[in-house]
Amino acid sequence: MHKGSDILVSALENEGVNRIFGVPGEENLDLVESIRKSSIQLILTRHEQAAAFMAATYGRLTGKAGVCLSTLGPGALNLSTGAAYSLLGAMPMIMLTGQKGILSSRQGRFQIIDVVAAMKPLTKLSRQIVSAPMIPTLVREAFRVAEEERPGPVHLELPEDIAATECPEVALIPPHPVELPLANSDAIDRAARLIMQAKFPLLMLGAAASRPRSTLDLANFVLRTRIPYFTTQMGKGTVPGGTELYMGTAALSERDYVHEAIERADLIITIGHDTVEKPPFIMGARGPKVVHVGYQPANMEQVYFPQTEVVGDLGPSLKLLADRVEGRIPGASALLSLREEILRKIAARNTEDRFTPQRIVHDVREVMPADGIVALDNGMYKIWFARNFRTRMANTLLLDNALATMGAGLPSAMMAAMLYPERRIMAVCGDGGFMMNSQELETAVRLKINLVVLIIEDHAYGMIRWKQAVDKFPDFGMTFNNPDFVKYAESYGAKGVRVGEIGKLRSILEDAFASKGVHVVTVPIDYSENERVLVQELRQRQPSS
């Protein structure tokens, strides 16, 4: 005989699960005991939200669903932001929550809310487990749904009496490979004709292009077609940024320097674009034609309505498309003449002896090797990193331009550090976002993670304060005080240092990486560049006709 919780853990092992992140409660105790006897590591976090961010980031980086758990009621609701992060960001994740017994009710309605219903709009699937023998089927289905395109979160609720129920051994369902269908040959031919006829073609790489399984085929497509490309914020790194075909990243929706190429293009081939991101460009009646290449059909939006779609498994479909057009695109390099000036303007003044966003991005890039991973929280600095940080490998700049939630930077960096202990990993957080999950410093220290946390300090919710100023509202309601971050880090057993001179930032970061462990580095920032560059300078740029 086996308990329901034992069957669930065996089913998770059957899926290759090796870690579960979370904060257990009374209703999870059978499950916790089953995990203790298994090969799976239970990673205790200090808040359920951080557990969900970590599980989602595991899914983002591996393509396999990460797993997190919570108790019922308040613990389950604390997963909800992570569920939305996973849903909008297309990161496969399984959430396991507890519940009071459903076969009898000995505690009335104490702590009970309908978590299954609450999770339905935030997940691809939300189910309560009502039968122990059904667990292998439900778990296999949960992972299938979470990992298939478009990936996302699945929620399973395990009531405590179902977890404790004993039943005969139930056969597990082995996972099997699932190949996605290729794009239709007529669609590929139609797209090929448009590409070969275009006078000023341009590629755009979006969020779905960063799926780990497709990056090699995507890089080969760019190199075979020789068409210059730009990326969305979440599409950064999908092709090595060092290539001579990279034109920039659309950190804004319009008027930035990369839009000089976008406005000149007569055809944009979007690869893996997901309209969950803030628009990288805005389609209009007089704009370029757009070919949508993706795992799924395009979502029609007021700002995005492609004229042609190539829908199917991204990598193999791009290979077939490249077979049609390689060496047959007369206009392939037509926009490349704009590249040098676009990149020069973006990189301008990035070595000035001031605490500017450009200088901070420059120095972070200098200390990070090609395979180093920078995980961004959400704030004003995200625009600067998206715009100015050059990536050289896939999935080495983890930012969230979908839910765009504060508080995810530190947990996502911790997950990257656990997956890749031999690589340099840095979390970049504003003081606002850092304090939303700063308690996870204890988790990082306890797990002996090697991690550098760069806190950009302006004592304000800086992006909203900037928007407030741009919209000519009075400066109100956006500023706060901070703890002494050096002492705060040390209280957790981490190392802390404050950067007093911008010229020392790079050496301080190098020393932090060299000495291992968890390091918190605090740097002030001069956000006057937001107005000078992102408003005044870009306002002077006239869109191409």
Side-chain angles (χ1 to χ4, degrees), residues 191 194-195 198-206 221 227-232 250 253 258-273 280-284 287-293 303-310 321 335:
L194 287 172
I195 293 170
K199 295 180 179 178
F200 298 98
L202 186 63
L203 301 178
M204 186 192 83
L205 312 179
F221 178 80
I227 300 174
Y229 69 94
F230 72 103
T231 77
T232 70
S253 294
V258 70
H259 291 93
E260 292 184 4
I262 294 169
E263 291 153 7
R264 288 275 299 277
D266 61 347
L267 179 72
I268 296 179
I269 304 101
T270 66
I271 299 174
H273 181 43
F281 68 98
I282 296 173
M283 287 187 68
K289 290 183 179 178
V290 173
V291 174
H292 172 91
V293 183
V303 295
Y304 187 71
F305 43 91
Q307 289 88 359
T308 300
E309 300 187 40
V310 178
L321 184 55
L335 292 174

Side-chain angles (χ1 to χ4, degrees), residues 222-223 226 229 239-247 339 343 390:
V222 173
L223 294 173
R226 308 300 300 171
Y229 69 94
V239 171
T243 173
E244 72 281 8
L245 297 170
Y246 171 71
M247 302 287 281
R339 177 179 183 270
L343 297 183
R390 294 285 295 277

Side-chain angles (χ1 to χ4, degrees), residues 16-323:
V17 174
N18 53 22
R19 299 181 180 95
I20 297 177
F21 308 89
V23 182
E26 175 188 349
E27 292 72 26
N28 305 117
L29 291 179
D30 283 291
L31 179 58
V32 169
E33 174 61 10
S34 297
I35 294 170
R36 185 186 70 81
K37 297 184 296 184
S38 75
S39 63
I40 298 173
Q41 180 185 10
L42 175 63
I43 296 176
L44 196 68
T45 61
R46 303 307 299 268
H47 195 287
E48 294 88 350
Q49 186 184 98
F53 288 148
M54 294 175 78
T57 302
Y58 178 92
R60 178 180 190 170
L61 291 171
T62 67
K64 306 294 290 182
V67 182
C68 57
L69 72 84
S70 80
T71 188
L72 81 176
L77 291 178
N78 278 347
L79 294 176
S80 59
T81 302
Y85 176 78
S86 165
L87 182 68
L88 269 65
M91 307 173 198
M93 176 174 73
I94 306 293
M95 297 181 292
L96 306 173
T97 65
Q99 187 55 277
K100 298 293 184 186
I102 57 172
L103 303 179
S104 65
S105 177
R106 296 178 59 84
Q107 296 196 39
R109 303 297 298 168
F110 176 61
Q111 285 196 306
I112 293 179
I113 61 165
D114 191 342
V115 177
V116 173
M119 287 293 182
K120 278 187 176 175
L122 300 175
T123 59
K124 296 180 71 177
L125 178 69
S126 181
R127 297 277 297 273
Q128 183 184 69
I129 299 172
V130 297
S131 163
M134 282 290 293
I135 288 174
T137 302
L138 290 174
V139 170
R140 178 80 282 272
E141 176 69 356
F143 276 82
R144 182 191 70 80
V145 172
E147 292 173 359
E148 72 180 2
E149 288 293 339
R150 183 178 181 267
V154 169
H155 166 239
L156 294 177
E157 179 179 83
L158 180 65
E160 59 182 339
D161 52 3
I162 304 300
T165 296
E166 293 198 352
C167 68
E169 185 172 352
V170 184
L172 301 177
I173 302 174
H176 61 273
V178 177
E179 283 74 31
L180 296 174
L182 294 179
N184 181 279
S185 60
D186 288 343
I188 293 174
D189 288 340
R190 189 161 55 246
R193 284 194 298 272
L194 287 172
I195 293 170
M196 290 185 290
Q197 292 167 3
K199 295 180 179 178
F200 298 98
L202 186 63
L203 301 178
M204 186 192 83
L205 312 179
S210 64
R211 306 279 195 268
R213 66 175 179 269
S214 63
T215 52
L216 181 60
D217 287 324
L218 180 55
N220 286 336
F221 178 80
V222 173
L223 294 173
R224 289 178 66 187
T225 62
R226 308 300 300 171
I227 300 174
Y229 69 94
F230 72 103
T231 77
T232 70
Q233 292 188 43
M234 293 180 75
K236 283 184 75 72
T238 43
V239 171
T243 173
E244 72 281 8
L245 297 170
Y246 171 71
M247 302 287 281
T249 296
L252 307 176
S253 294
E254 56 188 348
R255 299 191 71 92
D256 204 352
Y257 291 113
V258 70
H259 291 93
E260 292 184 4
I262 294 169
E263 291 153 7
R264 288 275 299 277
D266 61 347
L267 179 72
I268 296 179
I269 304 101
T270 66
I271 299 174
H273 181 43
D274 191 330
T275 55
V276 74
E277 285 205 72
K278 195 169 184 179
F281 68 98
I282 296 173
M283 287 187 68
R286 294 186 298 170
K289 290 183 179 178
V290 173
V291 174
H292 172 91
V293 183
Y295 291 105
Q296 293 185 307
N299 290 320
M300 294 297 158
E301 301 282 354
Q302 187 174 4
V303 295
Y304 187 71
F305 43 91
Q307 289 88 359
T308 300
E309 300 187 40
V310 178
V311 179
D313 195 359
L314 204 57
S317 296
L318 286 173
K319 186 176 183 300
L320 291 174
L321 184 55
D323 289 342

